[in-house]
Amino acid sequence: MQEHFLSKARVDIFRPFTGRHRAVFFEVVTEIYERTLGVNADYEIVLDRPTLTEIIVDALEKNRALIFSGEASDEELDAAGDDRDYADKVRKRLKLFGMIEEHNDSAHLKVLWRFTPEGKRIAKMFADTRRKTSVARQRSVRACKGALKAFFDEGNYEYLVDAYEYASTIFDDVCQVSDLFTEHQRRIMGHSFSTSKEALAGYMQGVHDFDKRAARYFDSDNIYNHASDIVDLTESIAAMNPAVLESTDRKISDEHPALDEEANGEPLHSWMLARIRRVVESTRDIKHEELHRVVGEFSTNYAILIWRLIKLKAVGDDDPLIRFASLYAAAGDEGRDKISREMLRHLFPQRADLIDPADLKIAERAERIKTPTTIIRSEPTRQQRLDAEIRNALTAAFAVPSKEVVSRAREAVKAAGGTTSVMALPAGDARAMLAALAAVEVLHSAGQDTGLAISALDEHGSNGAFRGVDHKISERA
């Protein structure tokens, strides 16, 4: 069973990020990550104690105002004599709670500092909040599509694992687009417009700004386009040579046993492809539709705002509510008391129809429908396991390893003097015929590693066992 992240981390690993100095610790950890592991990191930096102290002191000087003065005191950090003393206390606290650790570096023959494995993951999460290019870029959607295409072209199992991991954040990518529009909407609606002309000008300016920042999410970078491509790629991968997919499952199971455990006996490639399809289809059908609905509602609400401004402008000073508000605003405290009493004196004599208490009935509250939050997986029966093993055995019986296919093709090319064709490959027995049938797909998938080049010819051929488009096989130059 996979070990939980918090089972390896210190009990109080997040303790430094509480209290009145929490923002400084956040900035210190983020700065250390950016200096040592970030995009603009100095990879030749030697993170010894003086260098670590300098980084902490520099972060403190830039963020001293982030120490919250109105909260409970921190006796240890508040009593620091100077910045270096403060940095020393910060370093000790980060080490105490398992964010950083010491290690002996054989290259420099000194004690250096580094993030613990758990601390590195937390620091990366903090550093991502600074990355401005990470907002609403749909990078995971494109990365998932690219990884699936790479797996289909090259057959490297790691690309399929990458695609599965990228798919886990696709929903968040599209949520960022919605957040971008919500922030844009809040900024526009926060303005105060005195006339409908100003409101219309503000709306058009907002449309222009949003068009520059996010128009591509509705056309070229639309989740619909990416989702369709990803679904097509998953279906193409599912139709690949069963021997290649079976080999992929074995390698993934060896390298990533946690995925094999989650698949619960289902073929790994099939389970991962189904999860990827479900994520992209749900994102497309739910979140993207929600974004379109929000954009439409915003346009409607803004049109109502402009209509109200036009109506108020047309009424002018004749509107009783506006005249009352102006009169009330211009009056002093004593005058406002008189206006309020006069208004109440005219309101109280008004007729009010009351409901007979005998007619009141207490309705029973309907029970809320609870959405299940747990997933119950059914354990396969003995017969189902037996059927799965029989299917796997049948697949293995009619599958030839890729290495054997390449070896047979290489021997045929060498025997023919450097060039041959698929229809000329030996097919004297069942195994040889299966190798000849799989030659085109295997040689395409393996690529340059085989030392062979394969290309389609414009003619059909037959070797006595099967018929199809012939392919030329030759040695690479």
Side-chain angles (χ1 to χ4, degrees):
M1 185 175 180
Q2 187 181 18
E3 193 172 7
H4 196 278
F5 169 74
L6 292 178
S7 67
K8 296 181 290 185
R10 295 287 182 87
V11 175
D12 296 329
I13 193 170
F14 291 102
R15 178 67 64 82
F17 309 105
T18 60
R20 62 193 299 258
H21 295 266
R22 59 184 179 274
V24 175
F25 277 93
F26 175 92
E27 294 296 333
V28 166
V29 169
T30 305
E31 189 66 23
I32 296 174
Y33 184 89
E34 293 288 355
R35 294 270 196 101
T36 58
L37 300 169
V39 177
N40 300 315
D42 179 6
Y43 296 108
E44 297 180 359
I45 191 173
V46 179
L47 196 62
D48 53 11
R49 181 171 175 177
T51 304
L52 180 59
T53 300
E54 289 297 330
I55 293 176
I56 298 175
V57 169
D58 183 54
L60 175 63
E61 290 176 353
K62 295 178 182 178
N63 303 284
R64 198 184 302 274
L66 294 178
I67 300 176
F68 300 99
S69 58
E71 299 185 7
S73 62
D74 188 319
E75 295 181 1
E76 182 183 10
L77 293 177
D78 292 343
D82 53 26
D83 288 353
R84 292 194 171 275
D85 184 28
Y86 185 93
D88 188 54
K89 295 179 185 297
V90 168
R91 176 181 53 79
K92 290 180 178 179
R93 187 173 294 187
L94 289 174
K95 178 187 176 184
L96 174 65
F97 293 107
M99 281 295 298
I100 59 176
E101 63 184 1
E102 297 173 290
H103 70 102
N104 294 316
D105 186 74
S106 58
H108 297 89
L109 299 178
K110 58 168 58 175
V111 176
L112 301 182
W113 293 81
R114 65 186 178 190
F115 284 111
T116 62
E118 296 76 29
K120 184 188 297 184
R121 295 171 68 178
I122 294 172
K124 182 180 184 301
M125 176 183 66
F126 290 169
D128 285 344
T129 62
R130 281 188 178 180
R131 194 179 306 159
K132 296 180 180 179
T133 57
S134 67
V135 178
R137 288 182 55 230
Q138 299 202 22
R139 58 198 182 281
S140 296
V141 187
R142 289 191 296 272
C144 178
K145 183 168 68 174
L148 287 173
K149 189 175 188 307
F151 174 75
F152 181 72
D153 293 340
E154 303 179 25
N156 188 333
Y157 72 97
E158 287 291 358
Y159 288 132
L160 184 57
V161 177
D162 290 343
Y164 173 76
E165 293 180 349
Y166 289 134
S168 64
T169 55
I170 284 178
F171 192 83
D172 179 61
D173 270 357
V174 181
C175 286
Q176 287 183 5
V177 181
S178 298
D179 294 341
L180 178 67
F181 180 77
T182 301
E183 181 264 336
H184 168 77
Q185 176 179 341
R186 184 166 51 246
R187 188 173 62 252
I188 291 181
M189 297 299 286
H191 287 292
S192 297
F193 301 109
S194 58
T195 65
S196 58
K197 184 177 181 181
E198 289 182 10
L200 186 60
Y203 176 76
M204 296 308 299
Q205 181 63 40
V207 170
H208 178 68
D209 292 343
F210 188 74
D211 181 69
K212 290 191 299 183
R213 297 178 62 191
R216 65 182 184 275
Y217 303 125
F218 293 88
D219 43 62
S220 62
D221 210 6
N222 194 320
I223 182 62
Y224 269 91
N225 300 337
H226 294 306
S228 300
D229 293 341
I230 290 174
V231 171
D232 290 343
L233 281 168
T234 58
E235 293 175 351
S236 299
I237 291 172
M240 287 175 63
N241 189 340
V244 175
L245 296 176
E246 184 180 350
S247 174
T248 298
D249 288 347
R250 286 197 302 268
K251 293 176 181 178
I252 295 177
S253 179
D254 293 341
E255 294 287 336
H256 307 277
L259 291 177
D260 193 25
E261 185 178 319
E262 287 188 47
N264 198 24
E266 187 177 351
L268 268 174
H269 74 275
S270 177
W271 176 78
M272 294 170 73
L273 292 175
R275 292 284 292 268
I276 292 173
R277 279 196 298 269
R278 185 162 65 250
V279 167
V280 296
E281 289 173 349
S282 299
T283 304
R284 177 190 62 190
D285 299 338
I286 297 175
K287 199 61 185 179
H288 195 71
E289 290 298 328
E290 178 184 325
L291 176 61
H292 275 272
R293 186 176 67 254
V294 170
V295 172
E297 290 175 355
F298 170 67
S299 301
T300 302
N301 293 337
Y302 211 91
I304 293 173
L305 171 64
I306 294 176
W307 175 78
R308 288 175 178 173
L309 289 171
I310 294 174
K311 183 178 179 182
L312 290 174
K313 182 66 177 178
V315 172
D317 294 338
D318 292 336
D319 187 81
L321 184 59
I322 294 179
R323 283 190 280 114
F324 174 79
S326 301
L327 182 65
Y328 193 84
D333 292 340
E334 186 176 349
R336 290 179 179 179
D337 290 341
K338 292 181 178 179
I339 293 173
S340 299
R341 283 195 298 270
E342 186 67 18
M343 181 184 66
L344 293 174
R345 189 174 65 84
H346 285 79
L347 287 176
F348 280 158
Q350 297 296 320
R351 172 181 173 178
D353 294 327
L354 302 178
I355 300 174
D356 185 355
D359 294 337
L360 297 177
K361 295 181 180 179
I362 300 177
E364 294 184 0
R365 183 178 179 180
E367 294 185 2
R368 296 181 60 183
I369 300 176
K370 296 183 179 180
T371 303
T373 57
T374 57
I375 299 175
I376 301 176
R377 291 196 178 105
S378 59
E379 288 291 333
T381 63
R382 183 179 181 279
Q383 184 61 40
Q384 290 174 334
R385 291 182 184 275
L386 179 60
D387 292 342
E389 291 296 332
I390 292 174
R391 286 195 299 270
N392 292 338
L394 289 172
T395 301
F398 290 95
V400 181
S402 299
K403 289 183 179 180
E404 183 178 340
V405 175
V406 173
S407 176
R408 287 175 178 269
R410 191 180 289 119
E411 291 175 2
V413 169
K414 189 176 296 183
T419 302
T420 187
S421 68
V422 172
M423 295 304 169
L425 292 176
D429 55 34
R431 195 167 189 83
M433 186 185 70
L434 289 173
L437 283 169
V440 175
E441 183 174 356
V442 170
L443 293 179
H444 273 307
S445 300
Q448 300 180 0
D449 296 338
T450 62
L452 300 175
I454 183 168
S455 58
L457 299 176
D458 295 332
E459 57 188 23
H460 286 69
S462 173
N463 61 356
F466 59 86
R467 178 178 179 82
V469 178
D470 205 357
H471 287 69
K472 175 184 176 183
I473 306 175
S474 59
E475 293 180 341
R476 288 187 180 273

